[in-house]
Amino acid sequence: MKVLKFGGTSVGSVESILSLKAIVEKEAQEQPIIVVVSALGGITDKLIATSVLAQKGDEAWKDEFQAMVERHHKMIDTIITDPCKREQLFNIVDSLFEQLRSIYFGVYLIHDLSKKTQDAIVSYGERLSSNIVATLVQGAKWYDSREFIKTVRKNHKNTLDSELTNRLVRRTFSDLQRISLVPGFISKDRDTDEITNLGRGGSDYTAAIIAAALDADILEIWTDVDGFMTADPRVIKTAYTIKELSYIEAMELCNFGAKVVYPPTIYPVCVKNIPIRVKNTFNPDSEGSIIKQKVANNDKPIKGISSINGTTLITVAGLSMVGVIGVNRRIFTALADNGISVFMVSQASSENSTSIGVRDQDAAEAVEVLNGEFAKEIETGAMFPMHAESGLATIAVVGENMKHVPGIAGKLFGTLGRAGISMIACAQGASQTNISFVVKSEHLRKALNAIHDSFFLSEYKVLNLFVCGVGTVGGQLLEQIHDQYEELKRTKRLKLNVVGIATSKKALFNRDGIDLANYRQLLADAPESNDKKLRDAIIEMNCFNSVFVDCTASKDVAEIYQPLLEHNISVIAANKIAASSSYEKYALLKETALARGVFFRYETNVGAGLPIIGTINDLRNSGDVILKIEAVLSGTLNFIFNELSADVTMSEAVRRAKEQGYSEPDPRIDLSGKDVIRKLVILAREAGYKVEKTDVEKHLFIPDEFFEGNIEEFWKNLPKLDADFETRRKQLDAEGKRWRFVATFDHGKLSVALKEVDSTHPFYNLQGSNNIVALTTERYREYPMLIQGYGAGASVTAAGVFANIMSIANI
């Protein structure tokens, strides 16, 4: 025998109720079944709202009541095709509505709504829906659950009289029909015979009570989701259905906001070891989730994450609490006597404070009750008045497998810390099935995503990227990400989610990811922006695993690195300005990243895609000491000096560098050595030395006056240098030497200069726009380490930025 329960969404529309009919009639072919149904979707709320209107004397209750009548009539007209059955059903339904109208009218007249009357009103939802379903389903027999679900009044609440109810259920269903149809939720007081109910969600409980009393083979809860999810899919797009849960895991998830099953449902069937399967009325072929005593082990330490938004944390504190027996008893007794539920408790080991989590709607009353309970202690100063902090959310990380995996709590705290989320309170039971903690509500989405991703509940690890600059480097980077997107998902289980793209004037954002095949058009239609708006928008989005990627050369964009890092957003910079700015700023950026547990990376600041900075860091981290650095760091200048020949003058070589995209639009930026000086300073700092750009000695090969005036004057005057360079070039060629613009760091001294190198020097055969770096260290003293390759170009620079992104993803 099987018990099936259908929630309000399963009887909320014509489509769903016809699906219910098909499911029930198919199941009944295999075995006898008992079907428990809720009110039509939204009707219970409507019944309550209408009663409040009537109590206030607002005649709008009549319109709301009529709307309910019309909804039920329309449902009957649509789904009941047999005229005879339809007429009989209309008689039953209209009789119930006439009773309900009389109750509402009485409330309207006397402006009073007692608990007894309210319970009677909300019972009509299930009584109406169950009669409709019983008429619709072929061969169904209707039973009145008020006749066998009995409650008793305890501590101001209606609680189930289990012994009497079980006896009545067994008697009622002793001659089991093929299909028995039962309204859920509603019951009667055993002593007064007044209508009561089992609480919101009580239809689940009704089904569980019947299943346990009759030793059913299984209880099926049919709802509008495929089962228990690893997290709320409205918040976490990658959440998926949990195939198997233990009773304990399901109970923990339900108690902390997973509204799949009404929590009291689990206990009756757990005692009888009756499995619960949760299935989707709208997707009946889905396997759903099974809840049972023992579940198969899996390699994931946690099973799922649940949360309660709208949490208030109340702290009971005072020196008189230390070592005093009974304080906590008084706290929880006072709250229980007033019907206030506490879902989390955290107590300091010093015993001078206890924090309790309650729902926002219970907070004011809870504070009043506790201030009253401890009024004498507060008056004498032995205890403080209750402190309530709202605007919070409670998150529960659940899984029985956590007890077998060391370090789960540490990993959880580390994950939240890297995301920049402070934990306000925490509680973990000795069973190690649930770690609960409180955070600010504004961090709920970010916390859930970070935990879901960190504990491999997500199918993919996700990095949320904000890319600033879509010129040559930025454009190439976005193209590379687009080309590699599916391959990284397949081979690395990594999802590079570009959630923001910006230029100097516009910015485009989409938390779910931007279509990179069409981003230029989307960006053209995007709102106006600037660096400050960009900074604020990124921080406000509050995405987990956020990475800001700067592919500009903008000083203003470099200024937003610090606030981004302070908000736990990693920064990857192709922009050299920040790392070569004042040492104080450089050090602060690195210290902030370290303190926040995020990353500040800028490998492409020197040598484009060459692994220069990373290699220096690896050498130092392994205990080596950098003694000397010699490098050709300007692809532009190396191209120019490689182009010089009897047929190519200096001015022509500079022009070719510009035309072929090696130089800046204004080549004077390259010829001035500023770019090389920045790169040298960055390398010296990475080598462990505190240096500034002003520490670099400059020996330039272009006279200072050529850098004055506008660009047109520069191009006009540049040929004046051709003759001198040609004379010197011929002499150099005769000596078997070549020019290289070399950056040097030697035991603390820095310089940039045009040097002559012969054929024995490693820099002699450096081709095209390539870069080369020679590192002399304590370990590589006699034979310096050489790093050589393409040092310029959008494609290799973008690839270097991409490599930085991947290095963060692989941490």
Side-chain angles (χ1 to χ4, degrees):
M1 190 273 289
K2 180 185 291 189
V3 177
L4 288 76
K5 179 266 174 180
F6 290 87
T9 53
S10 300
V11 286
S13 67
V14 172
E15 176 191 3
S16 62
I17 206 167
L18 291 177
S19 179
L20 178 158
K21 169 182 166 65
I23 292 166
V24 168
E25 291 177 355
K26 180 180 178 182
E27 292 285 348
Q29 294 175 7
E30 304 293 328
Q31 59 190 316
I33 60 173
I34 296 176
V35 180
V36 179
V37 297
S38 299
L40 299 190
I43 285 296
T44 301
D45 288 335
K46 182 73 76 175
L47 287 165
I48 294 171
T50 304
S51 65
V52 172
L53 290 173
Q55 181 191 22
K56 293 177 178 178
D58 189 337
E59 292 202 2
W61 76 264
K62 297 176 182 178
D63 295 332
E64 295 298 314
F65 173 80
Q66 191 57 38
M68 286 188 283
V69 173
E70 290 173 1
R71 180 178 173 189
H72 286 79
H73 279 186
K74 184 176 180 181
M75 177 70 76
I76 294 168
D77 276 331
T78 305
I79 65 174
I80 307 299
T81 56
D82 185 312
C84 184
K85 288 184 177 180
R86 186 165 58 230
E87 184 178 353
Q88 292 175 351
L89 179 57
F90 268 128
N91 289 336
I92 294 171
V93 167
D94 287 344
S95 175
L96 290 170
F97 271 123
E98 190 55 41
Q99 297 170 23
L100 180 58
R101 183 194 299 274
S102 298
I103 298 173
Y104 276 138
F105 189 64
V107 171
Y108 171 74
L109 288 176
I110 64 174
H111 303 295
D112 181 68
L113 182 63
S114 67
K115 179 69 169 61
K116 171 183 172 182
T117 304
Q118 185 72 281
D119 285 348
I121 288 172
V122 295
S123 74
Y124 282 89
E126 275 72 14
R127 292 161 70 184
L128 288 161
S129 65
S130 59
N131 274 285
I132 293 173
V133 175
T135 304
L136 175 67
V137 175
Q138 189 70 31
K141 180 178 179 180
W142 185 82
Y143 291 84
D144 188 348
S145 54
R146 295 172 298 172
E147 300 304 316
F148 50 83
I149 305 293
K150 300 295 182 179
T151 61
V152 61
R153 194 75 174 166
K154 288 184 180 178
N155 296 325
H156 310 292
K157 286 189 174 182
N158 297 315
T159 59
L160 183 72
D161 184 335
S162 299
E163 184 177 346
L164 175 59
T165 296
N166 287 341
R167 188 166 66 249
L168 293 174
V169 168
R170 286 192 286 267
R171 181 197 303 168
T172 302
F173 297 102
S174 58
D175 182 17
L176 200 58
Q177 304 295 307
R178 178 57 59 179
I179 302 174
S180 303
L181 207 296
V182 176
F185 174 66
I186 59 177
S187 51
K188 272 190 176 181
D189 187 282
R190 73 175 186 190
D191 301 317
T192 65
D193 213 34
E194 294 173 353
I195 295 175
T196 58
N197 62 66
L198 302 178
R200 295 300 298 266
S203 292
D204 289 359
Y205 194 22
T206 302
I209 293 165
I210 295 171
L214 299 178
D215 293 316
D217 297 319
I218 191 170
L219 167 62
E220 288 187 353
I221 305 293
W222 289 81
T223 181
D224 58 354
V225 294
D226 286 339
F228 278 85
M229 307 289 284
T230 51
D232 187 342
R234 295 169 299 181
V235 177
I236 300 178
K237 304 298 183 183
T238 56
Y240 58 88
T241 305
I242 305 170
K243 291 184 178 180
E244 292 187 351
L245 303 89
S246 68
Y247 292 117
I248 293 174
E249 289 170 335
M251 180 68 80
E252 294 284 7
L253 288 172
C254 289
N255 280 331
F256 278 87
K259 298 177 181 179
V260 181
V261 176
Y262 182 51
T265 303
I266 298 171
Y267 177 73
V269 290
C270 173
V271 171
K272 292 291 190 74
N273 199 19
I274 298 170
I276 306 171
R277 185 175 291 282
V278 180
K279 299 200 69 175
N280 190 344
T281 309
F282 304 94
N283 185 22
D285 294 330
S286 172
E287 185 179 351
S289 298
I290 188 78
I291 305 168
K292 54 187 181 179
Q293 194 71 50
K294 293 183 179 180
V295 299
N297 288 327
N298 60 60
D299 57 352
K300 293 183 176 68
I302 67 175
K303 190 64 66 75
I305 312 165
S306 192
S307 61
I308 300 174
N309 207 348
T311 293
T312 294
L313 200 64
I314 300 173
T315 300
V316 184
L319 297 178
S320 72
M321 293 175 62
V322 179
V324 178
I325 297 173
V327 172
N328 285 341
R329 177 190 61 78
R330 290 174 63 189
I331 293 172
F332 298 115
T333 299
L335 293 173
D337 287 347
N338 286 273
I340 299 170
S341 175
V342 174
F343 53 78
M344 199 195 85
V345 181
S346 178
Q347 182 173 22
S349 58
S350 63
E351 301 182 41
N352 68 349
S353 70
T354 297
S355 295
I356 57 174
V358 300
R359 295 184 183 273
D360 283 349
Q361 56 265 36
D362 295 329
E365 185 180 0
V367 167
E368 183 180 351
V369 166
L370 292 174
N371 279 333
E373 175 65 29
F374 295 100
K376 291 182 179 179
E377 289 86 351
I378 294 172
E379 184 178 354
T380 62
M383 290 185 66
F384 307 120
M386 302 304 122
H387 173 73
E389 183 178 359
S390 57
L392 307 176
T394 305
I395 299 173
V397 176
V398 174
E400 286 199 282
N401 205 33
M402 289 197 297
K403 69 183 72 172
H404 305 300
V405 182
I408 292 297
K411 184 175 182 180
L412 174 63
F413 299 153
T415 297
L416 294 172
R418 285 191 299 276
I421 299 169
S422 296
M423 190 181 294
I424 297 169
C426 178
Q428 180 178 11
S431 66
Q432 301 180 51
T433 303
N434 180 333
I435 302 176
S436 305
F437 57 93
V438 178
V439 300
K440 290 184 177 179
S441 289
E442 65 198 68
H443 294 315
L444 177 59
R445 173 187 288 273
K446 188 175 184 180
L448 291 174
N449 275 281
I451 297 167
H452 200 267
D453 187 75
S454 177
F455 285 90
F456 307 107
L457 291 179
S458 297
E459 185 178 0
Y460 304 102
K461 180 172 183 176
V462 177
L463 283 190
N464 290 304
L465 306 178
F466 298 88
V467 178
C468 186
V470 295
T472 53
V473 174
Q476 283 283 326
L477 174 64
L478 291 171
E479 185 176 321
Q480 290 174 13
I481 292 173
H482 180 257
D483 292 344
Q484 285 293 108
Y485 185 80
E486 292 299 331
E487 179 69 9
L488 290 174
K489 282 176 63 179
R490 185 180 65 83
T491 61
K492 300 291 186 182
R493 316 306 297 171
L494 173 65
K495 197 173 182 181
L496 296 181
N497 196 32
V498 179
V499 296
I501 301 176
T503 65
S504 61
K505 295 182 179 180
K506 295 199 170 189
L508 171 68
F509 301 99
N510 186 333
R511 184 181 291 275
D512 296 328
I514 296 167
D515 178 10
L516 296 186
N518 191 37
Y519 79 88
R520 290 194 182 274
Q521 181 58 52
L522 295 172
L523 192 57
D525 298 332
E528 295 290 321
S529 184
N530 55 45
D531 54 290
K532 292 182 177 60
K533 288 182 179 179
L534 176 64
R535 174 199 63 197
D536 294 344
I538 292 171
I539 292 171
E540 187 177 337
M541 281 184 73
N542 203 26
C543 294
F544 78 109
N545 285 356
S546 293
V547 182
F548 178 72
V549 184
D550 182 8
C551 295
T552 74
S554 167
K555 181 179 179 180
D556 291 335
V557 173
E559 288 295 326
I560 73 172
Y561 294 178
Q562 185 65 32
L564 292 180
L565 291 170
E566 289 172 352
H567 284 83
N568 290 74
I569 298 164
S570 294
V571 174
I572 293 175
N575 185 344
K576 292 181 279 292
I577 291 176
S580 63
S581 62
S582 71
Y583 187 86
E584 183 182 3
K585 283 187 177 181
Y586 160 84
L588 181 59
L589 289 169
K590 299 199 76 170
E591 289 166 4
T592 303
L594 183 63
R596 290 287 180 169
V598 292
F599 305 95
F600 174 42
R601 297 208 166 152
Y602 39 91
E603 181 68 73
T604 57
N605 279 193
V606 181
L610 295 178
I612 300 171
I613 292 175
T615 300
I616 291 174
N617 285 323
D618 288 343
L619 289 171
R620 291 190 62 215
N621 291 337
S622 68
D624 206 348
V625 177
I626 311 297
L627 303 174
K628 183 178 180 180
I629 301 172
E630 287 185 289
V632 174
L633 299 174
S634 171
T636 303
L637 295 182
N638 199 53
F639 173 85
I640 289 171
F641 289 116
N642 278 331
E643 285 290 292
L644 283 178
S645 68
D647 301 320
V648 181
T649 63
M650 170 58 76
S651 60
E652 177 60 23
V654 174
R655 192 173 296 278
R656 289 186 182 186
K658 179 181 181 299
E659 290 172 350
Q660 296 184 35
Y662 289 111
S663 80
E664 297 290 338
D666 184 347
R668 291 177 296 179
I669 295 174
D670 299 290
L671 296 171
S672 68
K674 289 181 180 178
D675 188 56
V676 176
I677 291 170
R678 285 175 178 167
K679 293 176 180 178
L680 178 60
V681 167
I682 292 170
L683 292 184
R685 289 173 174 177
E686 294 303 300
Y689 298 87
K690 185 177 180 179
V691 298
E692 303 285 357
K693 292 194 291 291
T694 53
D695 296 329
V696 181
E697 293 182 14
K698 295 181 285 185
H699 304 282
L700 303 181
F701 54 90
I702 299 288
D704 289 345
E705 59 265 25
F706 280 76
F707 298 103
E708 299 171 359
N710 57 41
I711 186 67
E712 288 77 14
E713 292 173 344
F714 167 76
W715 285 115
K716 181 180 179 180
N717 293 327
L718 188 59
K720 295 177 182 179
L721 300 175
D722 290 348
D724 180 56
F725 267 98
E726 176 56 18
T727 300
R728 294 161 60 193
R729 187 201 64 77
K730 285 180 179 179
Q731 183 181 349
L732 205 65
D733 192 45
E735 296 173 357
K737 295 179 180 179
R738 291 175 177 171
W739 275 315
R740 295 290 180 251
F741 191 74
V742 180
T744 304
F745 169 80
D746 191 355
H747 292 82
K749 293 185 178 181
L750 301 94
S751 65
V752 295
L754 186 62
K755 293 187 177 183
E756 300 172 357
V757 298
D758 61 27
S759 60
T760 63
H761 198 286
F763 295 179
Y764 182 83
N765 289 314
L766 194 64
Q767 299 298 311
S769 63
N770 284 5
N771 283 187
I772 189 169
V773 177
L775 301 175
T776 302
T777 74
E778 286 188 347
R779 294 178 189 154
Y780 293 87
R781 190 187 296 263
E782 186 176 357
Y783 299 102
M785 177 186 290
L786 296 177
I787 304 170
Q788 178 180 351
Y790 289 117
S795 180
V796 292
T797 304
V801 174
F802 204 154
N804 267 177
I805 293 171
M806 291 301 298
S807 71
I808 291 178
N810 293 328
I811 292 296

